[in-house]
Amino acid sequence: MQWIDFQKTSHQRLIYTQLDEAQSHAKNFSLRGHSLVRGVAGSGKSLVLHQRAEKLVQEKFDRILVLSYNRFMQGWIEANLGRNKLQVECSTFHRWAFQHLKYSYELDREKESRQRLIESAHKSNLSYQAILVDEAQDFYDEWFQALLKVLDRETNSLFFVYDNTQSVYGQSHRRKSGWSWAKLGIDVVGRSQIFDLNYRNAPEILELAWKFIQPHLEKAEIKVEKRENSPSIDKLIEPKKRTSRSSGISPLLVQVDADKIAIEISNQVKLALESHANSSIGILLHPTHQDIKSLKTQISKELFCLEIRHHAPMRSQERLGNIVDRPTVIVDSWNAVKGVEFDAVIIVGVETSEEFEEKAGLYTAMTRAKDHLVLVYEERSSIVESIEDILTAPDQLQAVS
């Protein structure tokens, strides 16, 4: 059985959407002051951030800093800004903090160390007229407070986007009633926007992802609201799906023996690329899989034998560049590709997600897939059974044409 046939979905790649009303409104917030966008996965948050950076350059702002959490997302942002020859400083937070403030990621573990980061930023000579932050759900409170110390007080231009449903590195306190950005000295009153329409995912993929994560949100006592109900900052947003994104392809759940996973995935990637070579495929592994490095090596070896160009970084330093442009095949943990997207995604290790953060990570991994999603498991588990049930359950998300 062929898992992925791009001939059935390649026409979807021709769909181009201008900024919708909510996106345009957010892009055009005053360039001075603090503003934020909270939106569901695939709702265009990063696209708006990119256009916001362009507007800042057009309005003669200089010393512009754009930050993301992971390296691959930085690569995508940097590549897109570079195409338009925008002179901005683009980095991951950790890379920026180490370069300018000698703060390394090991210091994240202790609150005292994070507090010292704020002091270091205050004492530095850094000054930016504008700071833009992607993946803000994974930024520590102290990171934001440090950024405020290096933000030009005259322009005070801070713009950040986030989705708490995709938070896999903690920061759970922001999903509790009574918390607000004002506690960090960030004032977004009158300058915030909610994106609830998912443009990225085929509706069949979004339905699966949302129905998977929803009961775990309820169990964790995390409240969800529709955008129309003007949800408070601690509540998550229920996504809407676009029916026009459908090619009629349902997500696929397949069982593969452990000793055959690498060769089966590689053969399936070869078949998929034969149907449409100019495609992007993400092979995403459970980040805490006990044999993740070994499995990554095995898959990379099999892909190499089939003469399939791919990227399988073994160290974080190797996660460089823009992996979104087609054609590309990436093999990595699903946390490493947060924020980016692929024509097809093959997820390995779905059956071993137990903690809430792991389930949120799996949800996020599912929403990386634009048109094809394949979920691979070795042994049956409660997670596998729940996915089986979801695949035959009635649709529940509100649809927009």
Side-chain angles (χ1 to χ4, degrees):
M1 177 183 66
Q2 183 171 346
W3 294 353
I4 301 165
D5 185 354
F6 286 126
Q7 291 293 348
K8 296 180 179 179
T9 57
S10 59
H11 65 284
Q12 289 287 4
R13 301 179 195 177
L14 301 177
I15 295 176
Y16 176 76
T17 305
Q18 299 288 342
L19 293 187
D20 63 24
E21 182 179 351
Q23 293 168 337
S24 295
H25 181 68
K27 172 194 171 185
N28 293 314
F29 282 141
S30 171
L31 298 182
R32 296 174 181 268
H34 305 163
S35 50
L36 74 82
V37 169
R38 51 180 172 142
V40 302
S43 59
K45 300 183 295 296
S46 298
L47 175 64
V48 171
L49 181 141
H50 171 213
Q51 295 203 10
R52 175 85 171 183
E54 289 183 336
K55 188 173 182 180
L56 285 163
V57 172
Q58 292 168 2
E59 295 299 319
K60 307 304 181 183
F61 278 64
D62 59 13
R63 304 191 312 279
I64 300 171
L65 175 65
V66 181
L67 295 174
S68 65
Y69 188 90
N70 73 54
R71 293 171 185 251
F72 283 144
M73 193 60 193
Q74 174 207 338
W76 179 85
I77 295 172
E78 202 166 32
N80 280 274
L81 295 177
R83 287 191 187 101
N84 295 328
K85 300 181 180 179
L86 301 184
Q87 299 300 311
V88 303
E89 183 179 350
C90 185
S91 180
T92 64
F93 181 86
H94 282 127
R95 181 181 174 188
W96 172 83
F98 183 77
Q99 179 182 356
H100 294 289
L101 304 173
K102 305 306 178 187
Y103 177 90
S104 61
Y105 71 90
E106 295 94 343
L107 300 176
D108 289 342
R109 303 186 188 100
E110 301 295 334
K111 185 175 180 63
E112 293 77 10
S113 299
R114 301 197 302 270
Q115 285 290 335
R116 288 195 292 272
L117 170 67
I118 303 172
E119 298 172 11
S120 297
H122 180 65
K123 295 176 181 178
S124 75
N125 295 320
L126 296 169
S127 177
Y128 296 94
Q129 285 195 323
I131 298 176
L132 301 93
V133 178
D134 206 342
E135 306 174 279
Q137 69 271 4
D138 292 323
F139 277 49
Y140 284 96
D141 290 351
E142 293 86 357
W143 293 8
F144 278 105
Q145 292 172 306
L147 292 174
L148 291 177
K149 297 297 185 183
V150 299
L151 183 62
D152 188 312
R153 292 187 178 181
E154 183 177 345
T155 57
N156 203 26
S157 182
L158 173 68
F159 182 86
F160 59 105
V161 304
Y162 73 101
D163 174 14
N164 268 345
T165 316
Q166 300 184 60
S167 179
V168 299
Y169 295 111
Q171 322 312 331
S172 59
H173 61 286
R174 296 184 195 150
R175 296 191 291 252
K176 294 181 179 178
S177 178
W179 191 88
S180 73
W181 289 102
K183 293 181 181 294
L184 305 183
I186 297 174
D187 178 13
V188 294
V189 175
R191 294 181 302 278
S192 65
Q193 187 68 41
I194 295 173
F195 296 171
D196 66 343
L197 182 55
N198 175 292
Y199 288 95
R200 175 193 299 141
N201 308 119
E204 296 84 358
I205 294 173
L206 184 62
E207 281 281 354
L208 169 60
W210 185 252
K211 283 185 284 192
F212 168 75
I213 196 62
Q214 189 178 40
H216 303 300
L217 295 175
E218 293 177 357
K219 187 175 181 180
E221 299 183 341
I222 298 171
K223 304 299 182 182
V224 178
E225 281 281 3
K226 296 182 184 294
R227 173 190 174 190
E228 290 80 2
N229 296 337
S230 300
S232 56
I233 202 73
D234 57 293
K235 293 183 174 64
L236 303 186
I237 313 302
E238 180 176 295
K240 295 175 183 174
K241 62 184 181 182
R242 294 194 74 206
T243 54
S244 60
R245 281 286 293 113
S246 176
S247 296
I249 308 296
S250 296
L252 190 62
L253 179 65
V254 294
Q255 184 173 18
V256 181
D257 292 340
D259 59 348
K260 297 179 181 177
I261 283 182
I263 191 168
E264 179 66 17
I265 287 176
S266 301
N267 286 334
Q268 289 290 341
V269 168
K270 181 177 176 63
L271 281 173
L273 294 177
E274 286 174 352
S275 69
H276 202 289
N278 191 32
S279 302
S280 60
I281 302 176
I283 303 168
L284 311 185
L285 314 180
H286 193 299
T288 61
H289 190 289
Q290 60 180 355
D291 297 319
I292 184 171
K293 288 188 177 180
S294 174
L295 181 56
K296 190 186 295 187
T297 300
Q298 292 173 35
I299 296 173
S300 180
K301 180 181 177 181
E302 295 295 340
L303 289 171
F304 181 80
C305 290
L306 294 174
E307 299 182 340
I308 297 173
R309 295 183 61 184
H310 64 282
H311 185 37
M314 296 298 168
R315 300 179 302 148
S316 59
Q317 292 84 352
E318 296 174 5
R319 295 185 178 114
L320 300 173
N322 178 18
I323 63 168
V324 176
D325 286 350
R326 304 181 183 96
T328 188
V329 175
I330 181 78
V331 187
D332 210 340
S333 79
W334 62 54
N335 281 352
V337 299
K338 277 166 50 63
V340 298
E341 59 189 26
F342 304 91
D343 299 319
V345 165
I346 301 171
I347 299 178
V348 183
V350 299
E351 72 270 33
T352 57
S353 298
E354 297 297 336
E355 301 299 325
F356 175 77
E357 284 73 17
E358 292 179 318
K359 295 183 175 73
L362 179 52
Y363 162 81
T364 304
M366 293 179 185
T367 60
R368 301 308 93 202
K370 297 170 73 173
D371 296 302
H372 297 269
L373 175 61
V374 181
L375 306 169
V376 177
Y377 69 95
E378 299 172 20
E379 298 180 358
R380 293 187 63 80
S381 69
S382 59
I383 295 291
V384 172
E385 292 173 357
S386 70
I387 292 174
E388 285 179 332
D389 293 339
I390 290 169
L391 288 172
T392 58
D395 289 354
Q396 66 181 58
L397 292 176
Q398 183 176 340
V400 177
S401 61

